Amino acid sequence: MVKAVTGFGRSGLYDWFIQRVSAVVLVAYTLFIVGFIFLSKDFGYASWSALFEQRWVRVFSLVALISTIVHAWIGLWSVITDYLTNRMMGGKATILRIVVEVLLGAVAVFYAVWGIEILWGV
């Protein structure tokens, strides 16, 4: 039995699906922000602040942040496991791969906490 190591999906197909859903969320969020910037008559700090005072915008931003982290993790995990292999790098590849995954995981957690603090902090 094959076990998924990304932690997000049960299989490669499920990871692929999660990455596609996160991409759709990111496209929707990007279109929303770009549309707000270009369609706002008086774009400035006041309108930007008023936009992010609304709970649904904060939730949408949080979903976009989580989608970015999940999308990046699955993509980077795929690249890391493709290129940091014993065949390509020798016996130290497993240790290097684990170190890189831990560092990327720490960066993902840092950005998640920082983003939540920005969105929901006072």
Side-chain angles (χ1 to χ4, degrees):
M1 181 172 184
V2 177
K3 183 178 179 184
V5 273
T6 60
F8 288 116
R10 292 171 253 161
S11 66
L13 180 63
Y14 194 72
D15 285 345
W16 177 87
F17 181 72
I18 291 172
Q19 201 167 34
R20 295 317 174 265
V21 169
S22 66
V24 169
V25 169
L26 293 174
V27 165
Y29 187 75
T30 301
L31 291 174
F32 167 71
I33 294 295
V34 169
F36 177 78
I37 291 170
F38 284 117
L39 297 176
S40 181
K41 294 180 182 177
D42 183 28
F43 181 70
Y45 177 77
S47 63
W48 192 253
S49 180
L51 175 68
F52 277 89
E53 284 178 1
Q54 299 176 46
R55 185 177 310 270
W56 71 270
V57 175
R58 288 182 182 187
V59 170
F60 192 22
S61 298
L62 182 62
V63 170
L65 174 66
I66 292 169
S67 293
T68 302
I69 292 169
V70 168
H71 190 93
W73 175 260
I74 293 172
L76 289 172
W77 180 86
S78 298
V79 170
I80 289 167
T81 56
D82 283 348
Y83 292 104
L84 296 181
T85 63
N86 289 337
R87 184 177 59 88
M88 294 183 77
M89 305 204 59
K92 296 180 181 177
T94 302
I95 294 169
L96 181 60
R97 188 172 58 244
I98 290 170
V99 168
V100 170
E101 286 179 0
V102 167
L103 287 173
L104 290 174
V107 168
V109 169
F110 174 77
Y111 283 144
V113 170
W114 191 19
I116 290 168
E117 176 65 29
I118 290 170
L119 287 171
W120 298 98
V122 176

